[in-house]
Amino acid sequence: MRYGIIGGTGVYQPGDLPGATRERVHTPYGEVEVTLGTYEGKEVAFLPRHGSGHSVPPHRVNYRANIWALKQLGVETVLATAAVGSLNRLFRPGDLVVIDDVIDWTKGRPSTFFEQGPVVHIDFSDPYCARVRKGLVETARDLGLRVHHGGVYVCAEGPRFESKAEIALFARLGGDLVGMTSMPEAALAKEAELCYATVCMVTNWAAGMAAKPLSHEEVLEAMRENVADIRRLFFAYIARDKAVRDCACGSAVGGQVPLVGESEA
Ligand SMILES: [Zn+2]
């Protein structure tokens, strides 16, 4: 098993995975339901971040179980989606953004696998794998998709949306997009020594940014097109990826990952 897809809001089905089966993976943090299949000879594991019926709110997502399950299945590269609001005029509703940095504004979420020691401080200067980001952007351009490379994601705690003053603050801090799920997911993926990247779909302007609120229909329409584009992008990326991990992700904690052999699928 090599590739994992974490589907965010609006992405609850894996798409084109012939012969896919659903399995429950047992982890020390709880059970995770995943869909396993192959695409062009590559093994793919899909899991919907919020559960298959979108039943888990962002602050209650079992991020550790999700990442642990993928690691346990032998996944090395994780492609994630995230629906976001934009606070940068360059990133408009309907756009795709391969983010390259994050500001963590969450509160009290379990955010590490290393609760009991050893004391581990991962390098997080590059939260999203540069190799996978580059591959995603090249693939998107070859597919004719309009995609931005680079953007700072502010992870808010939620589940409420942000106030106008919070959005103004995030913009002053250098944020471009706001969502509720990329942390601790990105940090846990790094601790698990996975290559991890996220494609954001901008669904709306953040609070105080739009002259009039977007209609729900406009958001859904943008989302529908985006979901199809992201699926195409992910599968095209997987099909052509050489699976050569010439990045540092595979040694992020120097082999101290407390993941192997402590639980079984
Ligand atoms: Zn990597």
Side-chain angles (χ1 to χ4, degrees):
M1 181 66 61
R2 281 203 175 276
Y3 298 88
I5 297 175
I6 299 178
T9 297
V11 186
Y12 308 121
Q13 300 298 329
D16 194 17
L17 273 183
T21 57
R22 279 164 89 125
E23 287 184 28
R24 290 193 164 279
V25 181
H26 302 277
T27 82
Y29 303 99
E31 274 194 350
V32 179
E33 193 171 296
V34 297
T35 301
L36 303 176
T38 54
Y39 184 79
E40 308 232 338
K42 310 273 187 76
E43 293 174 294
V44 179
F46 172 87
L47 71 85
R49 180 184 289 123
H50 300 271
S52 43
H54 196 108
S55 53
V56 187
H59 64 297
R60 301 293 302 275
V61 168
N62 197 339
Y63 297 97
R64 291 193 294 190
N66 286 351
I67 294 295
W68 189 294
L70 293 178
K71 179 75 179 182
Q72 204 167 275
L73 289 167
V75 165
E76 291 180 314
T77 295
V78 179
L79 311 174
T81 78
V84 296
S86 176
L87 37 136
N88 180 334
R89 293 286 177 201
L90 296 174
F91 301 156
R92 308 176 62 80
D95 286 1
L96 299 181
V97 186
V98 178
I99 48 175
D100 68 346
D101 217 333
V102 69
I103 294 171
D104 187 359
W105 210 260
T106 65
K107 300 164 190 164
R109 300 180 183 187
S111 58
T112 180
F113 290 119
F114 295 97
E115 295 283 17
Q116 312 293 335
V119 177
V120 169
H121 304 286
I122 49 164
D123 175 72
F124 209 49
S125 49
D126 218 3
Y128 305 95
C129 173
R131 174 184 69 83
V132 177
R133 282 193 280 116
K134 183 164 171 281
L136 284 169
V137 171
E138 284 171 1
T139 306
R141 292 190 175 142
D142 289 350
L143 291 173
L145 300 176
R146 185 158 174 269
V147 66
H148 304 275
H149 190 190
V152 177
Y153 178 114
V154 181
C155 192
E157 176 65 12
R160 66 169 176 80
F161 286 116
E162 302 72 34
S163 70
K164 292 199 289 291
E166 286 168 341
I167 292 300
L169 173 67
F170 294 162
R172 291 177 73 158
L173 291 175
D176 298 303
L177 302 164
V178 62
M180 301 175 191
T181 55
S182 201
M183 290 296 292
E185 193 170 276
L188 292 168
K190 188 76 79 182
E191 284 190 350
E193 300 189 330
L194 302 173
C195 289
Y196 173 90
T198 297
V199 179
C200 291
M201 34 189 178
V202 180
T203 57
N204 57 280
W205 293 113
M209 297 282 295
K212 67 177 176 65
L214 267 190
S215 75
H216 188 54
E217 285 65 35
E218 285 173 296
V219 171
L220 287 180
E221 189 54 38
M223 184 83 108
R224 260 193 294 276
E225 286 174 19
N226 275 341
V227 168
D229 285 346
I230 287 187
R231 280 213 189 94
R232 263 197 322 140
L233 170 56
F234 281 2
F235 284 119
Y237 173 86
I238 288 169
R240 69 196 241 175
D241 182 47
K242 300 276 192 292
V244 178
R245 298 181 78 195
D246 54 357
C247 49
C249 308
S251 55
V253 295
Q256 298 182 85
V257 191
L259 295 173
V260 184
E262 294 182 23
S263 174
E264 51 190 45

